[in-house]
Amino acid sequence: MDEKNKDLETQAKEPASGASPEKLPESQSYTRSEPNGDAAVHNPETASAKDIPVEAVHSAEGVTPEGEPFATATKEEAEASSTHAFFDEAASEPARPATQASGNNGTVPRVPPTRAGGGNLSGNNGGGGEPPKKDGKKKTIWGAFLAGILGVLIGALIVLGFSWGALHDDNNNDATSTTSNTGTTKKVTVENTTGTTQALEKVQDAVVSVLNYQAGTSIATGDTTEDEASSGSGVVYKKNNGKAYVVTNNHVVEGANKLEVTFSSGKKAEAKLVGTDKWNDLAVLEISDKYVTKVAEFGNSDAVKVGEIAIAIGSPLGTEFAGSVTQGIVSGVNRTVPVDTNGDGTEDWEAEVIQTDAAINPGNSGGALVNIEGQVIGINSMKISTENVEGIGFAIPSNTVVPIIDQLEKNGEVERPSLGVTLRDVDTISEVEQQQVLKLPSGVDYGAMVQQVVAGSAADKAGLKKYDVIVEMNGKKVTNSMTLRQILYANDVKIGDKMEVKYYREGKKETTTVTLTAASSTNQ
């Protein structure tokens, strides 16, 4: 047995030396406007074996230098030996337990030479018995030959199986990878078109980022600056005479000194604020149409069904993720969500919205909620964001949006009917004051109390006074100021309409008729 084979055999029985894994790199911080993300990559090194101890290398004679039989000698080594001492001793000894190799922490099993052929064996490990016989060698050759034939047949069957599978795939797929005679693989692009991708082709480039710049002060110079205060999304809905119009949310543009629009191409355009409507949280911007390539089409939100596909497009967390697309379904229609329009912590309006489970994040405000036809069915506006809530976002229905943005585009504001009063909810007034000041009868603990009447207003002309408690308008119950606004601002109510109002004064229920005028300031 040559030195190379001895070394390999000894090395195979030794455990690998202590290879240490590569040191993990420092976690990489991905900077963005919201939470950071960390990632670590681990690439262990390949273990390497120690040098083989000299004592573990045996002689080619089949015995160690000390004259002991070498425990791991094979049949071929035994046959190559020039002495029979190995066989005589092996025949008279039972199999020994595994011994520890010198200079090695691992153990090397002490195994007598295995016997090929059909001779009688005294042990399960082939220990003891007679030296190898010639007929055993012939049988071993025949066994090896038959095993080789069997291996060839099995290999051929495996190759045929793979070939058949590849041929079957070729017959069922239009796009495959092919291998040329040179061994290079050609990459084939798969055209994967779905209803979602087709919808996005129609509208995605019409969705833009809206940047809100507000006045600031330079720390270095003390000069007044314009810094980006917030960002949101918008939808280009009209293009005419070199100008284009963008709809977004009122809260996206609120307080801005300067507004800027960023397109999906990365181009930017300065935007002019045309008008806002705080009650429905909508605003219209005017920009140059130079970089406008797509204009969105509005769909019929009244035809939207629960369960149909809904696609949200916008710029979550800022322009870094501009044009992000999320998909879900319409989770609910005709939802009413109480909102605080003036930021005083009191809900003073109920928005009628479409509910969706498509992911909507900060920065998506003002973006598009799209149906599978690529039509805008809503303008994303808000979401419920608490620890126990997931996937509840809201969009202003397109049928609410369209008439409002038409008015904003033409007049810069939405003209709504008004009573000309300021109100306070009765349920915020103590029970003692309800009885002693307002003199409300027992059981009447609701309504909208008149705090102030504007001189010359519709309410003034109809005879309403301070401390009157309105409980009914146009045949509908008024529970608080929010419900009064909903009645007053309904789509079927117009300026100049006459409306019957029922109220309590000094404990008595009275009725008057109000001719509605245009709203001004924050009065109802």
Side-chain angles (χ1 to χ4, degrees):
M1 180 175 183
D2 56 28
E3 291 297 323
K4 182 178 180 180
N5 290 334
K6 288 187 292 181
D7 291 347
L8 290 174
E9 183 170 339
T10 305
Q11 185 176 354
K13 295 183 178 294
E14 262 195 353
S17 63
S20 60
E22 184 179 6
K23 184 179 180 181
L24 293 176
E26 295 296 332
S27 296
Q28 299 177 0
S29 179
Y30 189 81
T31 304
R32 59 181 179 182
S33 58
E34 289 294 320
N36 296 326
D38 293 332
V41 180
H42 175 61
N43 294 315
E45 295 178 351
T46 304
S48 60
K50 293 181 179 179
D51 294 335
I52 303 172
V54 175
E55 292 80 2
V57 180
H58 60 83
S59 68
E61 290 291 326
V63 295
T64 67
E66 292 77 16
E68 291 293 325
F70 185 71
T72 59
T74 63
K75 180 180 73 64
E76 290 78 6
E77 293 172 351
E79 290 177 348
S81 177
S82 61
T83 176
H84 292 286
F86 183 92
F87 298 101
D88 294 337
E89 184 174 350
S92 61
E93 284 186 357
R96 299 180 183 180
T99 58
Q100 183 173 346
S102 176
N104 193 344
N105 293 331
T107 58
V108 179
R110 183 117 180 187
V111 183
T114 57
R115 175 176 295 188
N120 294 328
L121 303 177
S122 62
N124 292 335
N125 294 328
E130 300 177 358
K133 296 182 180 180
K134 293 182 179 180
D135 59 340
K137 185 175 182 179
K138 290 180 181 179
K139 290 182 179 180
T140 301
I141 294 172
W142 275 106
F145 177 76
L146 291 175
I149 294 296
L150 182 61
V152 171
L153 291 175
I154 293 173
L157 290 174
I158 292 173
V159 171
L160 287 173
F162 277 116
S163 301
W164 170 257
L167 180 61
H168 183 70
D169 288 341
D170 285 342
N171 292 333
N172 288 279
N173 294 283
D174 293 332
T176 59
S177 296
T178 59
T179 304
S180 66
N181 293 332
T182 60
T184 58
T185 300
K186 298 179 181 179
K187 294 182 180 179
V188 181
T189 302
V190 178
E191 185 68 27
N192 186 10
T193 301
T194 65
T196 301
T197 60
Q198 291 175 339
L200 291 176
E201 287 178 2
K202 297 178 182 178
V203 70
Q204 190 168 22
D205 288 342
V207 180
V208 298
S209 299
V210 178
L211 306 181
N212 180 327
Y213 292 89
Q214 297 184 9
T217 302
S218 172
I219 298 176
T221 64
D223 296 336
T224 301
T225 60
E226 286 183 339
D227 303 318
E228 182 182 329
S230 62
S231 66
S233 305
V235 181
V236 180
Y237 69 90
K238 184 178 180 180
K239 181 178 177 181
N240 186 32
N241 295 329
K243 298 178 181 179
Y245 296 89
V246 177
V247 57
T248 185
N249 288 141
N250 174 65
H251 74 261
V252 170
V253 302
E254 197 168 22
N257 282 18
K258 173 186 172 183
L259 293 167
E260 189 176 73
V261 164
T262 303
F263 296 89
S264 58
S265 63
K267 302 291 186 180
K268 295 184 178 181
E270 189 170 343
K272 172 187 173 183
L273 181 61
V274 176
T276 63
D277 175 27
K278 72 171 185 177
W279 297 109
N280 284 290
D281 195 21
L282 292 170
V284 170
L285 309 179
E286 181 186 289
I287 60 174
S288 167
D289 69 353
K290 182 178 179 180
Y291 302 118
V292 175
T293 58
K294 287 284 179 70
V295 174
E297 175 188 354
F298 287 105
N300 180 9
S301 59
D302 290 341
V304 170
K305 297 180 180 179
V306 173
E308 73 171 84
I309 290 176
I311 306 165
I313 312 173
S315 304
L317 308 182
T319 55
E320 183 178 0
F321 299 103
S324 292
V325 177
T326 56
Q327 179 173 305
I329 61 170
V330 172
S331 305
V333 295
N334 300 322
R335 300 291 198 208
T336 55
V337 179
V339 293
D340 176 16
T341 61
N342 55 12
D344 63 356
T346 302
E347 296 166 348
D348 46 21
W349 182 248
E350 279 192 343
E352 294 184 2
V353 292
I354 297 172
Q355 180 186 335
T356 180
D357 67 345
I360 295 176
N361 296 290
N364 274 114
S365 293
L369 187 68
V370 181
N371 62 17
I372 199 63
E373 297 297 325
Q375 299 172 327
V376 177
I377 56 174
I379 298 298
N380 298 321
S381 180
M382 54 189 163
K383 65 180 291 186
I384 295 178
S385 180
T386 64
E387 183 179 353
N388 298 323
V389 176
E390 182 178 348
I392 301 182
F394 303 104
I396 306 165
S398 58
N399 286 7
T400 300
V401 172
V402 172
I404 291 174
I405 62 177
D406 283 345
Q407 289 191 60
L408 292 177
E409 185 184 329
K410 294 174 183 176
N411 307 317
E413 63 180 0
V414 177
E415 290 186 346
R416 289 191 172 92
S418 171
L419 292 177
V421 296
T422 56
L423 302 171
R424 179 178 175 182
D425 296 341
V426 169
D427 59 12
T428 66
I429 301 171
S430 67
E431 185 176 352
V432 173
E433 290 178 326
Q434 288 180 18
Q435 295 175 356
Q436 295 181 0
V437 179
L438 303 180
K439 296 182 171 51
L440 292 175
S442 176
V444 179
D445 56 357
Y446 62 90
M449 184 198 75
V450 176
Q451 280 187 312
Q452 182 181 1
V453 179
V454 178
S457 66
D460 185 31
K461 293 176 180 178
L464 290 175
K465 296 181 179 180
K466 184 177 181 179
Y467 297 143
D468 286 347
V469 176
I470 300 173
V471 294
E472 186 178 315
M473 282 182 61
N474 209 24
K476 298 177 182 178
K477 183 178 180 179
V478 174
T479 58
N480 51 33
S481 58
M482 185 187 301
T483 57
L484 185 147
R485 292 188 194 97
Q486 289 177 315
I487 296 169
L488 196 61
Y489 298 162
N491 291 334
D492 58 346
V493 178
K494 302 291 187 286
I495 296 172
D497 288 354
K498 295 184 182 298
M499 186 173 289
E500 186 179 75
V501 176
K502 293 183 179 180
Y503 60 96
Y504 281 95
R505 178 184 292 172
E506 297 291 333
K508 296 181 180 179
K509 192 172 185 179
E510 301 186 17
T511 302
T512 187
T513 300
V514 178
T515 302
L516 301 177
T517 58
S520 61
S521 185
T522 58
N523 296 326
Q524 274 74 50

